[in-house]
C-alpha cells in the first residue's frame, strides 16, 4: 500500500501540474467541462441527440399548419380565441427549441418545466412536445388555456407515430385533462374516447407501457368528468369496461394506472358530489360483476396472480358497491379464503378491513350483513402461532365490530362476547406482538363500542337484561386472564382490566367485586412482578366505583387495635390517595376520621410507653389517612350535606395540628377550586368563612414554631386567598378594618405588622371602594417608611389594588388617580431598593390607565425607570423594562402619530446620555429595549442617528457603557435589514476597532460573537478590511471555527442519514401486494423501485411460502378437520432469534467507549442559533432571564412573604461574589485539566486512568514480543511504585 501523501512511482509524470505561482490562474487551457456544457446549447452534441427526428417532423408540421388544430365539423367548440379579430404582426425573436417550454404561462405544466434539466430521454421528449405545441398555439394567437392545449394535444396524438412521442403527448394530456372544463369533455367524449381506445388497443401488447398507462389515466379523467346522464349510454359503459379490463394486466404500472382510474371514477365522479347524487355509481354493479367473474375464472389455480390483482382492486372499490353486490362479493371473498393460500387470504382480509374502515352507509353495508360477515370470519381464525395473519384478523374484526356498533348497538354487543373470548385466546400466543395487538383490540372495543353507551345503563348485575348479560360475559372472559395459564401475559391482562374498570366500573361494580378481590390477593403473592399494574387497575376501579365499593370488597384491615405490625392492605392507602375523586365527603367523615383518631391515640400510647418505632408506624398511618382528604374534596357529591359536619374538625386540625396543617389547607383549596361547582355549594362553603379565616389569620400571624415553617405559612396564605374568592365582601371589609386597626396598634410587633400586611395584600382586591379609601390612608405613611419591609409590603398593597379586575378597585384607582400620582412621585426619593419591584409594578398598572393630559406624570417617571434597569433585584429590572415599554405605548396613545410620539419619547430618553456613567449605561439599555420593541414605529433616520451616538459611546473608558453599546450593536444586527445597514458598517466597525486594549481584552468573547454576526451578514473580506490588523488573527480563527463547525454538522447529518439507511426495513404490510407481485422485467421501473426490487423479491418469496403445523405429541394432521385452515401458517414455526441491543455509546477508533459525564458540557458555540447567541443581550434588556433565575423564581415565586428576623434563604450560585464557597469537589476533579479537556497526571499522585485498549491487532503473533514488552514495562512501573510506597510507609513508621 502506498504511503500517505505520496504518489505511486511513475505516476507523477502522468499528471499535469500547475507551474509554481500559477495555481490560482483563471481560464486554464484544459476546458473539457466548459466545452461539453457549451456543446449542449450552441452546437450539436457528439452523442445521441435528445431532439429526435419525429420531434422535428412534428414541430415542422405544426409550424407549417398542415396539422389543423381543429376539425372542420367541430370548429365552434375548439376555437383558439373568443374574438376573431385580425392578428397583429409581431417580429419573432431568436429562441431555442425549448422557448415554448421556458416561458409557458399555463400553470398546469409547471411540473414539466423542471424536466428540462433531466437526463431522461422521456423527459426531454415531453419538453420538446410541450415547446412545439406552445409555439403552435401562440402562432395562432391563442391564450394558452387548458382547452387550447387539449385541442392541440388531441390533434397531435393522432399524428405521432413513435412510441416516445406518443408517451409524451399522453403524459401532457393526462396533466391538462384534469383542468379542462367539464362541458368541453362531455361534448367531446365520443371523439376523445374513440381516440384513446384506439391507442389502448394498439398499445395493449406493446413492450413499452409508458404510453398505455398515461392513456388509461386520460380515460379515467374523461369518464370522471361525465355527468349522470352519460352513464346511461352504452358507449360510456363500453369505454369504462375497456379501462376495467386492464386492472388484471400483467404489467404493474399499467395495472396500477387502471385500478387507480377505476377507483377515481367510482369514488370521484363529479356527479357523486352534487345535491342529487345517487347512493352509488351506475358502473358499480358491473365492476363487482367483473371482479367476481375474474376470481371465478381463476378458480383454485396454484399461482393465483389474477385473483390477487382483483382482490387488490376490491380492497379499494368494495365500499362503493350497493348492498346486494357487496353481499355477492363478500361471499366470493369467503370462498377464495377456503383455498388456504396465504397471500389470497391476506388480500381478502384486507378487502374486508377496508370495507369496515370506510364506515359506509346502510345502503352499502347493512347491519345484518355486517354481523353475518363477522360470524363467517370466525371460520378463518389463524393459529395463535401465526403472527402476521393473526394480527390482520384481529385488526379486521376490530374494525368490523366498531362499524357494527355504529350501525346497530344491540347487534354489536351481541357479537362482542365471542370476540372477547377469541381475543383472550390470543393472549396464549408465543408472539408478544400478538398479545399486544389483542390487548389493544380489546381496549379499542371497550372505548369505542362500550363506553359511549354506559351512561344510559343502570347498575349491572348478574341477573340483568340481555345487554347487561353481554357485559357480564365479556368481563368474565377478561377475568379468566388472571388464571395461571395466562401468567406470561398478566401485564396486558391487567391493562385490559384497568380499561374495563375505567369504562364500566361505575355501573358494573357488582360483577367486578370478585375480580377486585382476586387482584388484591394476587398482589400479596410472593415475588409478584406486576404490582405497579395492579395498583393502576385498582386505582381505575377507585376513580369510577368509589372508595366505598372498594373497601366493602377489600377491607383495609387497619383498625388501630392490631396485635402485630403487619398491615397487608396498607398499600391501598397510596392508591386511594392518588385516585379518589367524585366520592362522598360524608364517607371520609364517617369512616376515615374515626380511623385516623384511633391510629393517633395508639401512636400516643406507644410514645408514652417508649416504643418509638411502633409509634412512628402508627403516626405514619394516620398521616396517610389524612392525605386522602384532598382527593375526597375533588368533585365531591355531597358538599351541601357533609361539609358542615367536617368543618369543625378541619378548623381544629389547622389550629392544633401543625403536622396536618398543609394537608388540610390543600384540601380546603381543592374543595374551593374543584368542589364548589354550583352557587349553592360556594355559598355553603363560604358560610364558614367567619370560622376558617380567623383561624388562618391567627396561624399566619403567629411567630416561631406555632406558625410553622415558611412553606406552611405560604400554604396558609394561599388558602386565605382561595377562601376570599367565595367570602362575602362585607365580611372581607370587616376583616380589613380589624387588620388596619391592629396594623396601627403600638402593641403589635414588627413580625405581626408584616404578617398583617401580607393578609391585607390578599384581602385588598375583594374590598369595596370606601374600605379601600380608608386602607389607602392607613398605608400611605408606610410608603415613605424607613423600614424597608414595611415599605415593600405597603407598595404590594397598592400593586394588588391597581391590578385587581374587580369594579370597586378600578373605581378607586380612577377616583384617586391624582392622589396616587402625587404620592408615588413624593415617595420617589425615599423608595428603598427592595420596594422597587412592587413600586414599578404599581406604576405599570397606573400608566396603563393614563390619557394625554397625564403626559407630565409619565415624563417625570423617566429617570427613575431608566435607573431601575440596573437594579440588583431581577424582578425590579424586569418590571422596569415592562414599565418602559408601557410608557412607550402610552406615548403612542397620546398621539398624534406613532412615529412622532416615539420621537418625542426618545428625546426624553436621550437626556440620560448626558448624565453620570451609570445613567449613560442604563440609558443605552433602555434605548436597546425600546428599539427592539418599537422598531416598526421608528423612522430609519432616527435609527441612524441613534446608531451614530452609540458608536461614539464605544470610545468610553467605562466598561458598563461599552458593554451596553456592544449589546445595542448586536440587536441592530439582528433587527435591521442588511441593505439599510450596509452604509453604516464602516462606522460601526471603526468604532469597534478603536476600542482600547483593556476593553478589547475584557470583552473578547462579546467581540468574537459580534464579529461572527458581522461576517455572517456582510462577509469575511469586508469585515477584515474595515478592522485594524490586531483583529485579523481573531477573524481568521472565527473563519476556521465556522468552517470546522459546518463540516462537523455535515458529518453528523451524513452519519444520521447513514444510520437511517442501515436501519432494518419495515415488515411488508398487506397493502404492498402489488409490489410483491411486481414484474421484475418491466423496463420502466422507477429508480427507487430498482434499488428495492431485490429486497422485495426476497420478501415475496418468503411471504408466498406457507407451512403446515403438525399435530402436537406426534398426532397426525387431520385434513378433514373444519379447523384445519388454522394449520396453514404464513410464519415459519420455530424459535426466534433475539436481535442485538444497541447501547448507544460512542466508540473511539482504538475501541474505547466514550461516556460523557453529566457535568461536562459539549461546547458547540458555533452551532448555536441566533436566539441563543442573543441570550445575553436580551437578558440585559429584560427580554430573557437565566435558567438559574427562572428556577429560583419557580421555587420561591412570592418574595413578599419573607419576614424580617427570619434566616436568609439565599443560596449561592453563579460566578464572582455569588459563587458557592463550600462546594464539594466532584469525584476525580483533582485530575481535571485547567487548560483543556480530559485528565492530567499529577506528580506524587496515582494515575487518573490505567487500562489497556482492546484491539484485535494485538493478537498478531509477530507483534507478541512487542506487546509483552509493553505489558512488562507496565508491570515493572507498578512494582516500582509499590516498592517505593512500602519504603515510605516503613520510614514513616520508624520515625
Amino acid at each position: 500500500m502506498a504511503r500517505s501523501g505520496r504518489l505511486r512511482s511513475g505516476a507523477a509524470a502522468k499528471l499535469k501540474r500547475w507551474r509554481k505561482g500559477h495555481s490560482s490562474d483563471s481560464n486554464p487551457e484544459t476546458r473539457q467541462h466548459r466545452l461539453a456544457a457549451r456543446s449542449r446549447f450552441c452546437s450539436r452534441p457528439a452523442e445521441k441527440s435528445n431532439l429526435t427526428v419525429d420531434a422535428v417532423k412534428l414541430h415542422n408540421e405544426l409550424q407549417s399548419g398542415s396539422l389543423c388544430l381543429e376539425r372542420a365539423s367541430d370548429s365552434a367548440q375548439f376555437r383558439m380565441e373568443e374574438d376573431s379579430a385580425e392578428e397583429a404582426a409581431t417580429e419573432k425573436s431568436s429562441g431555442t427549441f425549448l422557448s415554448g417550454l421556458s416561458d409557458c404561462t399555463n400553470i398546469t405544466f409547471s411540473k414539466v418545466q423542471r424536466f428540462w434539466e433531466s437526463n431522461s430521454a422521456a423527459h426531454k421528449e415531453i419538453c420538446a412536445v410541450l415547446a412545439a405545441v406552445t409555439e403552435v398555439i401562440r402562432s395562432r394567437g391563442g391564450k394558452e388555456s387548458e382547452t387550447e392545449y387539449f385541442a392541440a394535444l388531441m390533434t397531435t396524438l393522432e399524428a405521432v407515430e413513435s412510441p416516445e412521442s406518443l408517451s409524451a403527448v399522453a403524459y401532457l394530456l393526462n396533466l391538462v385533462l384534469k383542468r379542462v372544463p367539464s362541458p368541453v369533455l362531455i361534448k367531446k367524449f365520443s371523439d376523445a374516447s374513440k381516440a384513446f381506445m384506439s391507442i389502448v388497443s394498439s398499445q395493449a401488447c406493446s413492450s413499452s407501457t409508458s404510453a398505455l398507462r398515461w392513456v388509461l389515466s386520460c380515460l379515467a379523467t374523461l369518464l370522471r368528468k361525465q355527468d349522470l346522464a352519460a352513464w346511461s349510454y352504452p358507449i360510456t359503459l363500453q369505454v369504462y369496461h375497456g379501462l376495467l379490463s386492464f386492472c388484471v394486466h400483467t404489467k404493474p404500472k399499467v395495472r396500477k394506472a387502471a385500478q387507480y382510474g377505476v377507483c377515481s371514477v367510482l369514488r370521484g365522479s363529479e356527479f357523486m358530489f352534487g345535491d342529487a347524487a345517487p347512493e352509488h355509481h351506475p358502473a358499480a354493479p358491473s365492476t363487482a360483476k367483473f371482479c367476481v367473474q375474474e376470481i371465478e375464472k381463476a378458480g383454485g389455480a396454484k399461482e393465483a396472480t389474477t385473483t390477487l390483482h382483483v382482490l387488490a382492486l376490491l380492497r379499494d372499490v368494495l365500499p362503493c358497491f350497493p348492498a346486494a353486490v357487496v353481499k355477492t362479493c363478500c361471499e366470493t371473498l369467503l370462498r377464495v379464503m377456503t383455498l388456504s393460500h396465504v397471500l389470497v387470504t391476506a388480500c381478502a382480509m384486507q378487502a374486508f378491513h377496508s370495507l369496515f374502515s370506510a364506515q359506509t352507509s346502510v345502503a352499502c353495508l347493512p347491519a345484518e350483513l355486517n354481523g353475518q360477515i363477522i360470524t363467517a370470519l370466525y371460520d378463518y381464525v389463524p393459529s395463535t402461532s401465526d403472527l402476521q395473519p393473526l394480527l390482520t384478523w384481529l385488526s379486521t374484526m376490530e374494525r368490523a365490530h366498531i362499524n357494527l356498533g355504529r350501525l346497530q348497538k344491540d347487534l354489536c354487543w351481541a357479537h362482542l362476547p365471542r370476540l372477547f373470548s377469541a381475543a383472550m385466546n390470543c393472549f396464549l400466543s408465543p408472539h408478544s406482538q400478538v398479545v399486544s395487538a389483542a390487548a389493544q383490540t380489546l381496549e379499542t372495543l371497550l372505548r369505542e363500542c362500550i363506553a359511549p353507551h354506559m351512561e344510559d345503563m343502570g347498575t349491572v348485575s348478574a341477573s340483568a337484561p340481555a345487554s347487561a348479560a353481554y357485559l357480564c360475559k365479556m368481563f368474565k372472559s377478561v377475568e379468566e386472564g388472571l388464571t395461571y395459564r395466562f401468567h406470561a401475559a398478566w401485564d396486558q391482562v391487567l391493562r385490559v382490566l384497568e380499561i374495563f374498570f375505567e369504562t364500566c366500573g361505575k355501573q358494573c361494580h357488582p360483577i367486578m367485586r370478585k375480580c377486585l378481590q382476586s387482584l388484591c390477593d394476587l398482589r400479596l403473592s410472593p415475588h409478584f412482578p406486576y404490582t405497579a399494574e395492579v395498583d393502576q387497575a385498582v386505582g381505575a376501579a377507585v376513580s369510577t366505583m368509589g372508595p366505598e365499593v372498594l373497601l366493602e370488597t377489600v377491607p383495609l384491615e387497619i383498625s388501630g387495635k392490631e396485635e402485630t405490625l403487619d398491615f397487608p392492605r396498607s398499600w391501598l392507602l397510596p392508591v386511594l390517595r392518588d385516585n379518589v375523586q367524585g366520592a362522598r365527603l360524608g364517607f371520609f367523615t364517617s369512616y376515615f376520621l374515626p380511623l385516623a383518631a384511633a391510629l393517633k391515640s395508639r401512636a400516643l400510647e406507644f410514645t408514652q410507653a417508649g416504643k418509638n418505632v411502633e409509634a412512628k408506624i402508627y403516626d405514619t398511618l394516620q398521616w396517610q389517612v389524612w392525605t386522602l382528604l384532598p382527593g375526597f374534596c375533588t368533585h365531591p357529591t355531597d358538599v351541601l350535606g357533609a361539609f358542615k359536619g367536617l368543618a369543625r374538625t378541619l378548623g381544629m386540625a389547622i389550629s392544633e395540628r401543625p403536622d396536618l396543617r398543609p394537608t388540610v389547607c390543600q384540601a380546603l383549596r381543592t374543595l374551593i377550586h374543584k368542589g364548589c361547582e354550583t352557587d349553592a355549594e360556594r355559598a355553603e362553603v363560604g358560610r364558614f368563612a367567619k370560622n376558617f379565616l380567623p383561624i388562618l389569620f391567627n396561624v399566619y400571624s403567629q411567630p416561631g414554631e406555632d406558625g410553622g415553617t415558611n412553606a406552611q405559612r405560604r400554604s396558609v396564605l394561599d388558602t386565605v386567598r382561595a377562601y376570599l374568592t367565595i367570602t362575602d365582601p362585607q365580611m372581607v371589609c370587616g376583616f380589613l378594618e380589624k387588620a388596619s386597626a391592629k396594623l396601627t396598634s403600638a402593641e403589635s410587633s414588627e413580625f405581626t405588622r408584616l404578617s398583617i400586611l401580607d393578609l391585607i395584600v390578599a384581602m385588598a382586591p375583594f374590598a369595596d371602594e370606601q374600605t379601600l379609601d380608608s386602607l389607602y390612608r392607613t398605608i400611605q405613611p408606610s410608603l415613605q417608611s424607613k423600614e424597608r419591609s414595611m415599605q415593600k409590603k405597603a407598595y404590594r398593597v397598592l400593586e394588588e389594588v391597581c391590578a385587581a379586575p374587580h369594579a370597586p378597585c378600578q373605581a378607586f384607582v380612577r377616583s384617586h388617580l391624582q392622589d396616587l400620582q402625587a404620592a408615588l412621585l413624593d415617595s420617589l426619593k425615599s423608595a428603598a431598593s427592595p420596594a422597587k419591584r412592587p413600586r414599578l409594578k404599581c406604576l405599570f398598572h397606573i400608566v396603563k390607565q393614563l390619557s394625554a393630559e397625564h403626559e407630565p406624570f409619565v415624563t417625570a417617571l423617566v429617570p427613575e425607570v431608566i435607573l431601575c434597569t440596573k437594579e440588583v433585584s431581577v424582578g425590579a429590572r424586569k418590571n422596569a423594562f415592562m414599565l418602559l415599554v408601557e410608557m412607550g405605548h402610552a406615548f403612542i396613545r397620546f398621539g398624534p402619530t406613532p412615529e412622532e410620539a416615539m420621537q418625542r419619547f426618545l428625546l426624553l430618553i436621550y437626556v440620560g446620555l448626558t448624565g453620570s456613567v451609570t445613567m449613560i449605561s442604563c440609558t443605552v439599555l433602555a434605548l436597546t429595549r425600546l428599539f427592539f420593541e418599537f422598531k416598526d414605529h421608528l423612522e430609519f433616520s432616527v435609527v441612524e442617528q441613534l446608531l451614530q451616538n452609540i458608536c461614539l459611546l464605544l470610545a468610553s473608558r467605562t466598561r458598563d457603557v461599552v458593554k451596553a453599546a456592544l449589546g445595542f450593536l448586536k440587536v441592530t444586527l439582528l433587527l435591521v435589514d442588511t441593505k439599510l445597514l450596509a452604509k453604516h458598517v464602516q462606522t460601526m466597525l471603526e468604532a469597534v476597532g478603536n476600542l482600547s486594549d483593556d476593553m478589547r481584552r475584557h470583552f473578547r468573547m462579546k467581540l468574537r460573537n459580534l464579529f461572527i454576526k458581522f461576517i455572517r451578514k456582510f462577509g469575511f473580506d469586508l469585515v477584515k478590511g474595515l478592522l485594524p490588523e490586531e483583529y485579523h488573527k481573531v477573524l481568521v480563527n472565527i473563519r476556521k471555527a465556522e468552517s470546522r463547525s459546518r463540516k462537523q454538522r455535515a458529518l453528523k447529518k451524513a452519519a444520521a442519514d447513514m444510520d437511517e439507511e442501515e436501519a432494518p426495513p419495515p415488515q411488508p404490510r398487506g397493502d404492498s401486494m402489488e409490489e410483491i407481485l411486481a414484474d421484475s422485467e418491466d423496463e420502466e421501473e422507477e429508480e427507487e423501485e430498482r434499488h428495492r426490487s431485490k429486497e422485495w423479491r426476497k420478501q415475496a418469496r418468503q411471504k408466498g411460502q406457507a407451512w403446515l403445523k403438525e399435530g402436537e405429541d406426534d398426532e397426525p394432521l387431520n385434513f378433514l378437520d373444519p379447523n384445519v385452515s388454522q394449520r396453514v401458517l404464513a410464519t415459519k414455526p420455530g424459535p426466534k432469534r433475539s436481535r442485538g441491543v444497541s447501547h448507544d455509546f460512542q466508540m473511539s477508533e482504538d475501541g474505547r467507549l466514550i461516556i460523557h459525564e453529566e457535568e461536562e458540557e459539549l461546547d458547540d458555540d458555533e452551532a448555536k442559533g441566533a436566539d441563543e447567541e442573543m441570550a445575553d443581550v436580551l437578558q440585559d434588556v429584560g427580554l430573557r432571564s437565566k435558567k438559574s433565575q427562572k428556577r429560583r423564581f419557580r421555587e420561591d415565586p412570592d418574595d413578599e412573604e419573607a419576614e424580617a428576623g427570619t434566616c436568609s434563604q439565599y443560596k449561592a450560585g453563579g460566578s464572582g461574589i455569588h459563587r458557592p464557597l463550600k462546594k464539594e469537589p466532584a469525584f476525580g476533579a483533582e485530575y481535571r485539566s485547567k487548560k483543556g479537556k480530559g485528565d492530567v497526571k499529577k506528580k506524587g499522585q496515582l494515575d487518573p486512568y490505567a487500562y489497556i485498549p482492546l484491539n484485535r491487532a494485538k493478537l498478531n503473533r509477530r507483534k507478541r514480543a512487542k506487546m509483552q514488552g509493553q505489558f512488562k514495562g507496565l508491570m515493572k512501573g507498578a512494582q516500582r511504585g509499590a516498592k517505593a510506597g512500602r519504603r515510605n510507609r516503613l520510614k514513616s513508621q520508624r520515625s
Side-chain angles (χ1 to χ4, degrees), residues 1272-1283:
K1272 285 179 181 177
L1274 184 67
M1275 294 300 296
K1276 286 180 181 178
Q1279 291 169 358
R1280 282 198 300 269
K1283 289 180 181 179

Side-chain angles (χ1 to χ4, degrees), residues 850-904:
L850 297 181
S851 54
E853 61 269 14
H854 300 103
E855 186 173 334
F857 173 69
V858 180
T859 305
L861 295 177
V862 170
E864 177 189 6
V865 178
I866 291 177
L867 284 174
C868 286
T869 56
K870 297 199 75 174
E871 272 290 332
V872 178
S873 168
V874 178
R877 294 200 300 269
K878 180 181 176 181
N879 289 347
F881 284 114
M882 286 175 56
L883 178 55
L884 189 69
V885 172
E886 186 55 42
M887 290 163 67
H889 288 298
F891 268 88
I892 291 176
R893 285 200 310 271
F894 300 162
T897 63
E899 290 77 13
E900 294 180 10
M902 284 309 303
Q903 194 164 1
R904 197 165 71 253

Side-chain angles (χ1 to χ4, degrees), residues 367-552:
E368 294 78 11
L369 180 58
N370 194 332
Q372 290 171 1
I373 296 173
I374 289 174
T375 304
L377 287 177
Y378 282 108
D379 296 335
Y380 303 95
V381 182
S383 170
T384 54
S385 302
D386 211 356
L387 175 61
Q388 196 64 39
L390 191 53
L391 294 177
T392 306
W393 186 87
L394 282 171
S395 177
T396 304
M397 295 297 281
E398 174 190 321
R399 300 313 308 174
H401 285 78
I402 291 175
N403 189 61
L404 182 57
R406 181 180 63 87
L407 297 174
Q408 190 174 340
K409 170 247 181 185
D410 295 334
L411 189 57
C412 173
W413 281 36
H415 281 85
L416 280 175
R418 186 176 182 185
L419 180 58
F420 268 66
S421 178
M424 289 306 299
N425 289 334
C426 296
F427 280 72
L428 300 173
S429 172
H431 300 287
S432 60
Q433 299 98 315
V434 172
V435 178
S436 300
Q440 186 62 43
T441 296
L442 294 181
E443 292 177 21
T444 305
L445 292 173
L446 284 170
R447 294 189 187 279
E448 298 196 20
C449 297
I450 304 297
H453 307 287
M454 289 307 298
E455 292 295 332
D456 302 332
M457 297 188 65
T459 303
V460 176
S461 60
S463 60
S467 57
Y470 297 141
L471 273 177
C472 296
K473 291 180 181 178
M474 286 184 267
F475 187 75
K476 285 180 180 178
S477 298
V478 179
E479 188 180 8
E480 189 183 352
L482 294 178
T483 56
Y484 186 74
R485 68 190 187 112
F486 290 94
H487 73 281
W490 269 348
D491 55 339
Q492 298 291 345
V493 174
L494 291 170
R495 173 63 183 159
V496 176
L497 281 173
E498 179 187 349
I499 304 300
F500 227 127
F501 291 147
E502 281 183 13
T503 55
C504 311
K506 188 175 182 180
Q507 293 83 9
C508 300
H509 60 83
I511 64 172
M512 296 178 173
R513 292 174 182 258
K514 182 181 176 183
C515 180
L516 278 176
Q517 271 185 337
S518 303
L519 284 178
C520 296
D521 295 340
L522 199 60
R523 194 188 188 281
L524 297 177
S525 317
H527 309 295
F528 183 67
Y530 303 117
T531 54
E533 286 80 359
V534 170
D535 290 349
Q536 290 179 358
V538 175
V542 170
S543 62
T544 54
M545 302 179 193
E548 297 179 63
V549 175
L550 177 69
L551 294 177
E552 287 175 9

Side-chain angles (χ1 to χ4, degrees), residues 779-992:
I779 66 166
Q780 191 171 6
S782 300
L783 295 176
Q784 300 185 16
S785 173
K786 294 182 179 180
E787 297 180 14
R788 294 187 169 189
S789 299
M790 289 290 294
Q791 187 184 115
K792 178 181 177 181
K793 303 290 184 185
Y795 276 113
R796 283 284 294 120
V797 174
L798 272 186
E799 177 190 346
E800 288 295 325
V801 172
C802 294
H806 303 99
C809 295
Q810 294 180 353
F812 169 79
V813 174
R814 286 193 298 269
S815 60
H816 292 72
L817 198 56
Q818 298 294 337
D819 295 341
L820 288 172
Q821 293 178 19
L824 290 171
L825 288 177
D826 292 342
S827 60
L828 172 61
K829 296 180 180 180
S830 60
S833 181
K836 291 288 187 182
R837 189 188 69 81
R839 173 183 168 83
L840 291 169
K841 197 65 177 289
C842 184
L843 288 170
F844 171 80
H845 292 295
I846 290 176
V847 170
K848 265 187 172 182
Q849 304 185 23
L850 297 181
S851 54
E853 61 269 14
H854 300 103
E855 186 173 334
F857 173 69
V858 180
T859 305
L861 295 177
V862 170
E864 177 189 6
V865 178
I866 291 177
L867 284 174
C868 286
T869 56
K870 297 199 75 174
E871 272 290 332
V872 178
S873 168
V874 178
R877 294 200 300 269
K878 180 181 176 181
N879 289 347
F881 284 114
M882 286 175 56
L883 178 55
L884 189 69
V885 172
E886 186 55 42
M887 290 163 67
H889 288 298
F891 268 88
I892 291 176
R893 285 200 310 271
F894 300 162
T897 63
E899 290 77 13
E900 294 180 10
M902 284 309 303
Q903 194 164 1
R904 197 165 71 253
F905 184 44
L906 286 179
L907 289 176
L908 300 175
I909 306 293
Y910 288 156
V911 178
L913 296 176
T914 61
S916 63
V917 172
T918 304
M919 190 68 178
I920 293 174
S921 62
C922 292
T923 304
V924 175
L925 286 177
L927 288 171
T928 305
R929 176 61 187 271
L930 290 174
F931 177 44
F932 185 90
E933 197 73 31
F934 298 102
K935 55 183 179 295
D936 298 330
H937 299 309
L938 294 176
E939 297 178 355
F940 189 67
S941 58
V942 176
V943 178
E944 289 178 328
Q945 181 185 1
L946 191 57
L947 189 59
Q948 291 173 359
N949 292 331
I950 297 298
C951 289
L952 293 176
L953 290 176
L954 284 173
S956 173
R957 297 181 180 180
T958 309
R959 289 178 176 177
D960 283 348
V961 176
V962 175
K963 178 182 177 182
L966 290 175
F968 184 88
L969 291 184
K970 284 186 180 181
V971 174
T972 304
L973 287 172
L974 176 69
L975 298 181
V976 182
D977 185 57
T978 307
K979 295 179 181 178
L980 299 176
L981 202 61
K983 59 180 179 181
H984 299 283
V985 175
Q986 184 173 358
T987 306
M988 290 190 290
L989 288 177
E990 286 180 355
V992 172

